[in-house]
Amino acid sequence: MSVSIDVAWKSLNKYQEELCGDKVEIIKTEDSDIVILADGMGSGVKANILATLTSKILGTMLYEGAEIESCVETIAKTLPICKVRKVAYATFSILQIFHNGNAYLAEFDNPSCVFIRDGKIVDYPCETREIEGKRIREYRFAVKKNDCFVLMSDGVVYAGAGSILNLQGWTWEAVAEYTLKCTKKSLSASRLAVMLSQACDELYEERPGDDTTVAVARVIERRVVNIFTGPPKAKEDDERLMHDFIHSEGKKVIAGGTSANIAARVLGREITTKVDSRNPDVPPMAVIDGIDLVTEGVLTLGKSLKLLKKYVNDEFDAEFFDELDADNGASRLAKLLIEECTELNLFVGTAINEAHKDSELNFELSMRQNLVEQLIRTMEKAGKHVKVKYY
């Protein structure tokens, strides 16, 4: 079994603090995905420095294959000591999921990870050992498709303490139950992270008493998306491009009117345009039998990119998902790439589009190439594997 993970995180800064004292690192190695959540002591600049150093040290060392003992020892010797408290302190959680289905979880002083499988909260046995005076909880287990993990800082379990929920706070048990309720809707990691973060913000009455972070990882199957955009430079390559595209594993997307016409001609299928007056800002979609999504080219790609960039820059909230769920070409393409894609194959034609050759849009080739390059960078930043073929 080869598994991938869908991972996302959201943070709330402590009220009136510019910087967050929690830090999340997501690292991809050849054989695993690693999620690290570090929480620096206190809040503000000092906490941010402690959390950043901790997550970076852990991430770099684990990427290089170091054991947890070496990581903790390095952190203990590296973190700057606080002049007031006389300690160097940051808590952390590490979740490493290997592509073969094995998993490793290590926790130091953070609330326990919420683990949900088959609609139930799972409590795995752990081993506790002391490294450099720190008690580390360790778990080793096998994962399966649709498993869900939520790492959190202590700001999550203390949400609402002293106000809405009196002295108790939200509690780990309540967080776990709410997470279970949310996962029954089969949400993506990013949607679940937003729902949990939003619930914390409401419990804090939008004035968080501590830095508050959730990091969500869901075990998913490998998902491939193929996009064909732009006609090939040589017309005789139309059939070669279409052969490569249509015989690729995964979902098929065509972006561009000329590209859609090439596909329809080579495949011997009809194009039907879907006219939708509700979305005048986004060009209409079309339908070709056997193709999952057919959109216009440059304008639609540009609007999809805006949504993708919002996502990778952590600018997603409930309103973002309303836009992502809209029934137009740009939103549907962005949703496909964010929530249903682990690998992206791009089939890019490099001909100057005849439709714009003599118009003010004769720079369409360079625009498309620019958009493709931005798309590659953005998708790689989102942790997706990208391959490109030019024709």
Side-chain angles (χ1 to χ4, degrees):
M1 177 181 75
S2 177
V3 301
S4 296
I5 65 167
D6 171 26
V7 60
W9 56 275
K10 289 294 286 183
S11 288
L12 300 172
N13 293 7
K14 183 179 177 181
Y15 182 59
Q16 291 187 326
E17 288 289 357
E18 292 276 329
L19 295 171
C20 186
D22 301 336
K23 188 75 178 172
V24 176
E25 283 286 317
I26 298 164
I27 299 108
K28 292 184 177 289
T29 71
E30 279 187 14
D31 64 346
S32 71
D33 295 286
I34 305 170
V35 184
I36 298 163
L37 191 158
D39 179 359
M41 176 186 274
S43 58
V45 176
K46 285 182 184 176
N48 180 269
I49 291 168
L50 290 167
T52 302
L53 276 170
T54 300
S55 61
K56 289 289 183 188
I57 291 168
L58 287 171
T60 304
M61 293 187 71
L62 290 168
Y63 181 80
E64 296 296 338
E67 296 293 326
I68 186 70
E69 292 91 344
S70 308
C71 297
V72 175
E73 189 179 332
T74 305
I75 288 166
K77 290 175 179 175
T78 307
L79 294 187
I81 292 171
C82 173
K83 288 179 181 176
V84 179
R85 297 181 177 91
K86 305 296 181 189
V87 288
Y89 186 73
T91 65
F92 59 80
S93 305
I94 303 163
L95 174 64
Q96 183 170 22
I97 297 177
F98 294 88
H99 298 160
N100 65 6
N102 291 328
Y104 169 73
L105 173 67
E107 297 172 328
F108 168 60
D109 269 12
N110 267 346
S112 295
C113 170
V114 175
F115 176 20
I116 291 170
R117 171 179 285 176
D118 299 330
K120 293 175 185 172
I121 298 163
V122 178
D123 184 16
Y124 259 102
C126 73
E127 291 180 8
T128 304
R129 54 186 178 131
E130 200 162 296
I131 307 171
E132 292 288 316
K134 293 173 167 54
R135 288 172 64 82
I136 311 291
R137 297 191 304 272
E138 290 183 297
Y139 308 74
R140 286 179 172 83
F141 49 90
V143 299
K144 67 178 193 177
K145 186 188 165 191
N146 294 327
D147 282 354
C148 178
F149 303 89
V150 180
L151 307 179
M152 67 189 90
S153 63
D154 58 4
V156 174
V157 294
Y158 294 139
S163 55
I164 289 178
L165 299 176
N166 298 322
L167 294 174
Q168 195 176 18
W170 200 7
T171 76
W172 186 91
E173 291 74 17
V175 174
E177 283 297 331
Y178 184 71
T179 303
L180 178 62
K181 182 181 168 186
C182 292
T183 55
K184 286 180 178 171
K185 298 175 184 175
S186 191
L187 296 165
S188 64
S190 51
R191 290 177 193 254
L192 182 54
V194 164
M195 290 182 78
L196 291 171
S197 183
Q198 209 166 24
C200 291
D201 204 26
E202 287 168 8
L203 287 169
Y204 276 124
E205 297 176 302
E206 298 182 358
R207 293 185 171 201
D210 192 7
D211 298 305
T212 303
T213 299
V214 291
V216 179
R218 301 200 70 161
V219 179
I220 58 173
E221 289 177 319
R222 188 171 151 266
R223 296 171 181 170
V224 183
V225 173
N226 304 282
I227 299 177
F228 161 35
T229 183
K233 196 166 191 177
K235 194 170 174 62
E236 54 268 27
D237 281 337
D238 287 1
E239 292 199 10
R240 180 169 69 90
L241 188 157
M242 280 310 300
H243 179 274
D244 294 348
F245 174 69
I246 215 73
H247 287 91
S248 295
E249 170 197 358
K251 295 200 170 180
K252 311 286 188 297
V253 178
I254 298 174
T258 306
S259 306
N261 285 324
I262 289 170
R265 175 171 52 78
V266 174
L267 298 173
R269 298 172 190 171
E270 286 191 9
I271 303 176
T272 308
T273 303
K274 293 166 69 178
V275 178
D276 185 0
S277 57
R278 291 171 301 171
N279 293 291
D281 294 338
V282 183
M285 295 177 283
V287 177
I288 299 175
D289 189 38
I291 306 297
D292 297 283
L293 179 64
V294 182
T295 73
E296 178 274 341
V298 169
L299 292 172
T300 302
L301 283 172
K303 287 181 182 293
S304 285
L305 254 174
K306 280 186 181 177
L307 288 169
L308 288 166
K309 285 179 178 178
K310 272 188 179 180
Y311 175 76
V312 299
N313 292 330
D314 192 31
E315 294 169 11
F316 55 90
D317 53 17
E319 285 181 15
F320 170 86
F321 288 109
D322 287 341
E323 193 176 351
L324 198 68
D325 290 334
D327 188 21
N328 63 65
S331 293
R332 284 186 58 185
L333 177 56
K335 186 176 181 177
L336 192 66
L337 294 174
I338 289 170
E339 298 190 339
E340 298 176 47
C341 173
T342 59
E343 297 172 33
L344 174 64
N345 296 322
L346 289 164
F347 300 80
V348 183
T350 57
I352 293 174
N353 193 329
E354 290 294 325
H356 304 311
K357 203 168 188 178
D358 300 319
S359 74
E360 61 186 23
L361 286 174
N362 62 2
F363 55 86
E364 197 253 5
L365 171 63
S366 60
M367 278 181 68
R368 188 171 64 240
Q369 293 293 85
N370 182 272
L371 287 169
V372 166
E373 285 165 16
Q374 287 186 63
L375 179 61
I376 294 165
R377 288 196 299 272
T378 307
M379 288 297 284
E380 286 176 340
K381 194 175 174 184
K384 321 284 186 179
H385 297 282
V386 184
K387 291 180 185 171
V388 195
K389 283 186 179 178
Y390 292 99
Y391 295 84

